[in-house]
Amino acid sequence: MLVVLAVSIALLLVMWQGARLAREWALAELHHTAGNALQLSRANLTGYLTRHDYLPHLLATRESVRRFLAQPHDIRDVPALNRLLNRSRAYADVSDIYLLDRGGTTIAASNWQRADSFMGQNYAFRGYYRQAISGHGGRFHALGTQSGKRGYYFSAPVWANGRTSETPPDGVMVVKVGLEGIEREWQSLDATLLVTDANGIIFMASNPDLRLTALKPLSEGVRRGLLATRRYTDDPLPEAGFDVLETLPGGARLMRLDGRDYLNLSQPLARFNWRLNILQPLAPVTQAQWLGALGAGGSWMLLALGGAIGWQRRRLRRERERFAERERHTLAHARDELERHVEARTRELMGSNRQLSQEIEERKRAEESLRQTRDELVQAARLAVLGQLAASINHELNQPLGAIRAYADNARILLERGRPEAAADNLVQISELVERMAAISAQLRQFSRKGDDTLTDVSAQACFDYALRLFRARLEAADIRVRLQMSEATCWVRADSVRLEQVLVNLIGNAQQAMCDSAERQLILSAEHRDEWVILSVADSGPGLSAEALDHLFEPFYTTRAAGKGLGLGLSISQRIISDLGGRLEARNRPEGGALFIIHLPAVATPRALPPETPANA
């Protein structure tokens, strides 16, 4: 218990000493920073005000001003002089310029056109008038009686006919300099700047709440003197509320205002009989005190912790020496057990690896079997469509076969009658019919062949043409009108022509069967190039698709036909084919009635090589 108490007391002493040293150092730094800022602000304020000192003297010597005072009142050109003073005000960037006559009444002013104009106002009570009318330049700071704005006034005597020792001035030229600009610059500082006059009244401040307040209570005599010159008009000039906490060496003070502590430095402005004060917040000093206390306390705690750790290590080392032998025996036993466990686990892992290898091989075989099954399903779907087309192809083949039989019989009869030329014409007709049958057979071979994984540049319009040739007889027999909406430019896609043709044949066959019971039978085929895609669509005028069909249309073995009329694999396989080609197949109902199937395929800007003609065109 005594050890803990001693350590706590020592910790508090160290933290107190660290906070004290940190405070002294932080105050010295803050004093240096505030002193530099005060010096710069003092030079800036002096330069800002004195740069206009020359202006009233310069204007007082202008011939137009002197001539104006020398003329009788009834012939003076007041507007001309007002404009001259306004131009001079704008050029010099001051608040106001005005001319007083010998009695202190304003007879010309730069603000003659404003509601708060000085025209006709008497300022004989102002200090700058009394100084200038006595023949010297004047300076004065006060609140404007008309505008209510603070300003610094420069004045100069004006003689209409030349200066002599016996002649009093004929008027006074006054220049008012506004103070708002320099105060706005002060507000960008991290400190508060304020200017006090000889009576301790804060005339300028970066904090608007401190303006026209007093550092200390004003006596009745001081207030009567201020009212006589109307320096601050009738402003109450309340006390600012500063509390001096401590006086530091060098004249600096610690002060409190509105619950916040500040470091206060001041410098005299002898030329204006002012003092410039700076209030630097003590927050950095407070922060430094806390950091110093925490740093010293932390260092002390580290030292104490280091000593405690050293003592603890010595105690632990003795404990380790006592139990070292027992630990060695325990570790040896644990090592033997670990080796046995590792050996058993290694055997288990080797068995698992062999089993995993077997499962991987089985998975590869299953994937290969699945791929073969998928290809066989695609070919089976193609052959199923081919079977559906067999009746139409058989009808197209029967017509030329009957014609060939008739031409052959005629040729035989003509040869028997000795007319070989006519028989030759029949043989030519037979040859043309055989070519037609070969073209029909080529279409069947083209559709029944298996595709491969090699993709080429394929014309979408050519694929539509081939599919229509296969369905030509069935469409004509069903009285279905085909409307083509093909882009004039060839739409090239990267695809396998056999598989793309199978999808189009399947969609056209579905549309043909959907319109069996429709009064209007119209098949609309379109192909267009849109941005980076080629859009192929097959639309019909049938009854359209039900909500259930739209939800399950591309599922395997789903069909809307009667039992025995289809397996329900066509659209599922078609969607898989389009997906493998990097596109997508969509289905929806047309607003005017009927179903619409849309194929999106990536477009090829320029074909790499023209594809060979299809066997149907051979």
Side-chain angles (χ1 to χ4, degrees):
M1 186 65 183
L2 292 177
V3 174
V4 174
L5 181 60
V7 170
S8 300
I9 293 174
L11 175 62
L12 293 175
L13 290 174
V14 169
M15 293 180 67
W16 173 78
Q17 185 65 18
R20 188 178 66 82
L21 294 175
R23 180 178 184 273
E24 293 177 358
W25 175 84
L27 275 176
E29 287 293 318
L30 193 63
H31 190 285
H32 178 72
T33 302
N36 289 338
L38 184 64
Q39 188 69 25
L40 290 174
S41 300
R42 178 175 180 270
N44 187 24
L45 178 59
T46 302
Y48 178 80
L49 293 177
T50 57
R51 64 179 179 175
H52 303 296
D53 194 5
Y54 74 96
L55 187 57
H57 298 278
L58 178 65
L59 293 173
T61 59
R62 293 199 59 157
E63 183 63 28
S64 58
V65 176
R66 298 170 60 187
R67 186 168 55 251
F68 179 84
L69 284 175
Q71 293 174 346
H73 290 75
D74 53 350
I75 65 172
R76 287 176 178 173
D77 191 358
V78 177
L81 185 58
N82 287 339
R83 289 192 294 270
L84 171 65
L85 296 181
N86 189 40
R87 288 195 300 271
S88 301
R89 178 203 61 78
Y91 180 78
D93 191 22
V94 295
S95 178
D96 298 291
I97 302 177
Y98 50 102
L99 177 64
L100 308 180
D101 63 10
R102 185 175 295 171
T105 301
T106 305
I107 56 177
S110 61
N111 63 354
W112 84 94
Q113 77 281 17
R114 295 202 325 242
D116 57 349
S117 173
F118 300 160
M119 295 292 294
Q121 299 295 322
N122 188 280
Y123 296 105
F125 58 88
R126 288 295 199 189
Y128 58 77
Y129 166 78
R130 294 196 298 270
Q131 295 168 4
I133 204 67
S134 64
H136 307 286
R139 294 183 178 185
F140 195 73
H141 69 277
L143 283 176
T145 57
Q146 292 296 113
S147 63
K149 295 181 179 179
R150 293 164 298 127
Y152 195 81
Y153 299 82
F154 295 94
S155 62
V158 183
W159 282 274
N161 298 313
R163 177 177 182 179
T164 63
S165 58
E166 297 84 8
T167 306
D170 297 295
V172 174
M173 182 66 67
V174 184
V175 174
K176 178 181 180 181
V177 180
L179 305 176
E180 290 79 6
I182 194 69
E183 288 177 328
R184 282 194 296 269
E185 294 181 9
W186 288 351
Q187 289 174 355
S188 63
L189 300 175
D190 293 333
T192 300
L193 287 171
L194 50 93
V195 173
T196 58
D197 63 8
N199 296 313
I201 298 172
I202 300 175
F203 182 64
M204 298 174 61
S206 58
N207 183 357
D209 296 335
L210 295 177
R211 295 169 190 166
L212 299 181
T213 61
L215 294 180
K216 56 184 179 180
L218 301 177
S219 65
E220 288 300 322
V222 171
R223 288 187 179 274
R224 283 194 299 271
L226 294 175
L227 289 175
T229 60
R230 302 197 67 189
R231 183 188 294 271
Y232 301 116
T233 64
D234 55 353
D235 197 280
L237 304 175
E239 189 176 356
F242 284 100
D243 293 328
V244 179
L245 303 178
E246 182 181 352
T247 301
L248 302 177
R253 296 182 298 176
L254 299 184
M255 305 181 71
R256 178 169 295 168
L257 175 66
D258 295 334
R260 297 185 62 185
D261 296 340
Y262 298 91
L263 172 67
N264 169 237
L265 300 179
S266 65
Q267 288 187 0
L269 296 170
R271 180 177 298 184
F272 310 103
N273 196 22
W274 289 346
R275 289 195 73 85
L276 179 62
N277 293 263
I278 187 170
L279 298 176
Q280 195 76 34
L282 287 179
V285 177
T286 304
Q287 184 179 7
Q289 283 183 276
W290 280 105
L291 291 176
L294 293 176
S299 301
W300 167 251
M301 291 301 296
L302 287 176
L303 290 175
L305 182 61
I309 291 174
W311 176 79
Q312 184 69 11
R313 289 184 63 182
R314 290 187 60 188
R315 188 178 66 83
L316 290 176
R317 185 170 65 250
R318 289 194 298 267
E319 291 290 334
R320 284 197 300 269
E321 290 173 356
R322 285 197 298 266
F323 294 104
E325 188 65 25
R326 187 176 66 183
E327 290 176 356
R328 282 196 294 271
H329 287 297
T330 302
L331 287 174
H333 178 71
R335 184 179 63 250
D336 295 339
E337 289 293 328
L338 180 60
E339 289 177 354
R340 285 194 294 272
H341 285 299
V342 168
E343 184 178 357
R345 186 58 179 164
T346 301
R347 288 194 297 269
E348 292 177 2
L349 288 176
M350 292 177 64
S352 298
N353 286 338
R354 284 193 298 270
Q355 183 179 358
L356 182 60
S357 299
Q358 293 173 0
E359 291 178 356
I360 291 173
E361 292 297 327
E362 291 177 0
R363 182 178 181 85
K364 289 181 178 179
R365 287 194 295 269
E367 289 178 352
E368 180 64 23
S369 175
L370 178 61
R371 187 185 63 79
Q372 293 177 358
T373 303
R374 185 192 63 187
D375 294 342
E376 290 173 359
L377 279 175
V378 172
Q379 182 66 10
R382 187 183 297 111
L383 294 177
V385 175
L386 184 61
Q388 297 174 9
L389 297 174
S392 299
I393 301 301
N394 182 47
H395 176 72
E396 290 199 29
L397 290 177
N398 283 337
Q399 289 181 348
L401 281 174
I404 289 172
R405 185 181 298 110
Y407 281 126
D409 291 342
N410 289 340
R412 180 176 53 79
I413 294 172
L414 291 172
L415 288 174
E416 290 175 354
R417 294 179 180 179
R419 296 173 61 189
E421 294 83 2
D425 292 337
N426 285 344
L427 293 176
V428 171
Q429 294 296 328
I430 291 173
S431 177
E432 291 178 357
L433 289 171
V434 170
E435 290 181 0
R436 179 181 173 188
M437 295 174 63
I440 295 173
S441 176
Q443 292 179 20
L444 293 175
R445 290 196 306 275
Q446 169 75 5
F447 187 70
S448 62
R449 76 186 190 277
K450 282 190 176 182
D452 52 30
D453 294 333
T454 302
L455 302 182
T456 59
D457 294 335
V458 177
S459 167
Q461 289 93 330
C463 292
F464 265 126
D465 291 342
Y466 172 73
L468 281 176
R469 285 199 298 271
L470 287 179
F471 274 94
R472 182 177 55 193
R474 298 184 68 181
L475 295 174
E476 291 176 355
D479 192 22
I480 296 176
R481 182 165 61 91
V482 179
R483 192 171 75 187
L484 300 179
Q485 297 176 348
M486 302 293 175
S487 173
E488 294 181 1
T490 302
C491 299
W492 296 97
V493 295
R494 192 75 176 163
D496 174 12
S497 60
V498 175
R499 290 192 286 171
L500 181 56
E501 290 163 1
Q502 177 183 350
V503 173
L504 296 177
V505 166
N506 186 47
L507 295 179
I508 293 173
N510 289 346
Q512 181 259 325
Q513 293 182 10
M515 293 186 289
C516 290
D517 300 327
S518 298
E520 179 185 358
R521 301 176 184 179
Q522 181 176 238
L523 178 66
I524 304 172
L525 307 177
S526 67
E528 62 175 330
H529 193 163
R530 191 181 303 165
D531 297 332
E532 299 179 355
W533 296 90
V534 169
I535 312 299
L536 311 179
S537 65
V538 177
D540 60 61
S541 58
L545 301 168
S546 65
E548 179 185 3
L550 287 173
D551 291 337
H552 305 285
L553 197 59
F554 297 107
E555 295 179 2
F557 303 109
Y558 177 80
T559 179
T560 58
R561 301 178 189 172
K565 297 296 184 179
L567 297 176
L569 292 174
L571 288 177
S572 175
I573 292 174
S574 297
Q575 187 187 48
R576 179 60 182 269
I577 290 173
I578 296 301
S579 178
D580 290 343
L581 297 178
R584 65 181 186 275
L585 174 60
E586 301 175 352
R588 65 183 68 156
N589 285 319
R590 300 171 61 209
E592 58 270 38
L596 172 63
F597 288 84
I598 303 175
I599 299 173
H600 298 258
L601 288 173
V604 177
T606 304
R608 303 177 187 177
L610 292 178
E613 294 185 357
T614 62
N617 297 327

